[in-house]
């Protein structure tokens, strides 16, 4: 157990729908990072939050949004889902910019 | 844009042999590098990291080498075991970056 908790582990939904992925960071970590991993692809950075505020943004689609709550858990919202959004979505948490971070076990999203 | 990449997408190694996984990076300003291991169905797991003021760092059965002159990073695994079969990612971060940028990954298969 890495200490980073992601729910749900699996999600199957239809095109056009909206889903919410949840992440609880490791105790003491203020930063949360969201990454997308498509089949046979690397990890694509989506967005980072630090202590409740957006800090960095990657190639995140406008249909996607995220937030970090006062208790530091984060949610990634994916709307108007398309087949191409099927992927593994990972959350990671960390302390500060000088270190690596710890990943959760991911949410596997399948859009049908 | 600048990114981190890996020389070979796959590597097949005989059990007991040493493995060397290579990574080329293009951002000369990067000052922090990290290797992750991702087993099937799991999130990336931290292996070892190195800062740009070092050339070499050793862990348990693993060594990371950094050559800043040619912008090359390598991960050496000693006495490779079946449990080492996984996808290995290198990642880098610059001094002004908050996020890690990942390469495409190398799939290591250990032959019995």
């Amino acid at each position: 157990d890495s200490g980073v908790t992601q729910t749900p582990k699996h999600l199957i939904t239809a095109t056009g729908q909206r889903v919410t992925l949840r992440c609880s960071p490791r105790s003491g970590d203020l930063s949360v990072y969201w990454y997308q991993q498509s089949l046979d692809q690397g990890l694509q950075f989506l967005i980072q939050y630090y202590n409740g505020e957006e800090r960095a943004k990657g190639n995140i689609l406008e249909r996607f949004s995220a937030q970090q709550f006062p208790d530091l858990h984060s949610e990634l919202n994916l709307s108007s889902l398309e087949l191409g959004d099927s992927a593994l979505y990972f959350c990671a948490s960390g302390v500060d910019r000088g270190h690596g971070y710890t990943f959760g076990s991911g949410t596997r999203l399948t859009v049908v | 844009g600048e990114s981190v990449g890996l020389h070979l997408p796959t590597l097949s190694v005989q059990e007991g042999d040493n493995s060397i996984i290579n990574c080329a990076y293009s951002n000369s300003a990067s000052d922090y590098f990290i290797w992750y291991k991702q087993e099937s169905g799991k999130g990336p797991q931290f292996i070892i990291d190195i800062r740009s003021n070092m050339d070499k760092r050793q862990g348990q059965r693993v060594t990371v080498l950094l050559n800043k002159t040619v912008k090359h990073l390598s991960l050496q695994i000693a006495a490779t075991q079946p449990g080492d079969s996984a996808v290995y990612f290198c990642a880098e971060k610059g001094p002004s970056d908050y996020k890690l940028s990942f390469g495409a990954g190398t799939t290591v298969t250990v032959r019995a």
Side-chain angles (χ1 to χ4, degrees):
Chain A
D1 182 8
S2 68
V4 178
T5 304
Q6 288 190 249
T7 57
K9 292 192 182 303
H10 302 278
L11 199 50
I12 301 175
T13 190
T15 54
Q17 295 298 304
R18 172 189 170 94
V19 297
T20 297
L21 312 183
R22 182 187 169 103
C23 170
S24 293
R26 216 173 42 160
S27 178
D29 288 349
L30 299 179
S31 282
V32 170
Y33 306 79
W34 286 97
Y35 281 80
Q36 179 192 57
Q37 186 177 40
S38 301
L39 188 65
D40 295 332
Q41 296 294 312
L43 291 146
Q44 301 299 317
F45 172 71
L46 295 178
I47 197 164
Q48 180 211 352
Y49 279 82
Y50 178 83
N51 203 22
E53 295 191 1
E54 182 184 306
R55 176 157 281 186
K57 215 168 187 177
N59 295 323
I60 186 169
L61 299 172
E62 286 190 10
R63 299 184 287 109
F64 296 179
S65 65
Q67 54 185 326
Q68 186 180 27
F69 296 86
D71 67 352
L72 301 178
H73 91 271
S74 179
E75 293 181 355
L76 179 67
N77 301 296
L78 314 176
S79 61
S80 303
L81 284 167
E82 302 174 358
L83 295 177
D85 297 327
S86 296
L88 273 166
Y89 291 84
F90 287 104
C91 166
S93 74
V95 178
D96 61 35
R97 74 165 89 175
H99 297 79
Y101 30 79
T102 302
F103 282 84
S105 56
T107 293
R108 180 175 293 281
L109 173 67
T110 303
V111 182
V112 297
Chain B
E2 295 178 311
S3 64
V4 178
L6 289 164
H7 289 305
L8 295 173
T10 62
L11 179 67
S12 181
V13 183
Q14 185 69 40
E15 182 179 356
D17 287 352
N18 296 333
S19 304
I20 300 176
I21 307 166
N22 294 306
C23 176
Y25 64 95
S26 57
N27 186 357
S28 57
S30 292
D31 62 353
Y32 178 73
F33 304 87
I34 189 168
W35 283 97
Y36 282 93
K37 171 186 179 183
Q38 186 178 21
E39 297 175 90
S40 182
K42 297 184 179 180
Q45 180 183 10
F46 171 88
I47 300 174
I48 192 168
D49 61 359
I50 188 168
R51 299 195 180 277
S52 59
N53 60 353
M54 300 173 69
D55 297 324
K56 178 180 179 178
R57 191 162 187 229
Q58 289 183 292
Q60 187 178 10
R61 278 201 311 117
V62 294
T63 300
V64 56
L65 299 176
L66 175 62
N67 185 330
K68 295 179 287 294
T69 302
V70 294
K71 292 185 286 187
H72 183 268
L73 190 70
S74 68
L75 177 70
Q76 300 178 3
I77 305 173
T80 310
Q81 302 169 359
D84 295 326
S85 292
V87 180
Y88 290 80
F89 294 95
C90 67
E92 55 91 16
K93 187 188 291 188
S96 59
D97 290 337
Y98 291 99
K99 63 169 178 64
L100 288 169
S101 296
F102 286 81
T106 292
T107 300
V108 173
T109 303
V110 181
R111 305 188 308 271

